[in-house]
Structure formats: C-alpha cells, structure tokens
Amino acid sequence: MTDVVQEWVMESVLWPERPTNWPPCPHHPRNHPLAAKVVQDRAVWVCPVDETSFYVVGSLPAS
C-alpha cells in the first residue's frame, strides 16, 4: 500500500511543481526516491541501491 501512496504523491502532487523523487534518498537525493520495504518486521524507507534503512514508514521528517 505504501508504494501506491508514493506513486500517487509523485504523479499527482509533485509532478507539476517539484522533483518526483519523493521521498528523496539521503545518500543519492538527485538520483532516486527511497523505497518502502519490510525490514525486521517493520515497514521502513530504504535506499534501493545500497539497502540502507532511513525512516520507519510514517515518520518521514517534514520537508
């Protein structure tokens, strides 16, 4: 479900006004967004390249 919300935000909310790599990857902010993944029974945002976990889903810092 998180990936559906992420896709909606990128296409409907950000596309006309901002970059669509939401949420941006702290390691690669210009290259790709974070990906939602389950790690140790928790839904987290991870870098899709190096698999670093950054935030629990639902706790992204305000931008």
Side-chain angles (χ1 to χ4, degrees):
M1 181 66 170
T2 304
D3 56 340
V4 174
V5 173
Q6 181 183 26
E7 190 72 24
W8 174 80
V9 167
M10 287 190 303
E11 290 181 2
S12 301
V13 178
L14 298 179
W15 180 260
E17 300 177 19
R18 293 181 160 178
T20 57
N21 63 333
W22 180 87
C25 174
H27 285 178
H28 315 100
R30 298 180 197 264
N31 296 343
H32 56 259
L34 293 172
K37 184 175 181 180
V38 176
V39 176
Q40 297 179 351
D41 296 325
R42 296 178 80 185
V44 295
W45 291 107
V46 301
C47 171
V49 173
D50 64 21
E51 299 281 320
T52 301
S53 297
F54 288 99
Y55 311 106
V56 173
V57 170
S59 67
L60 281 171
S63 54

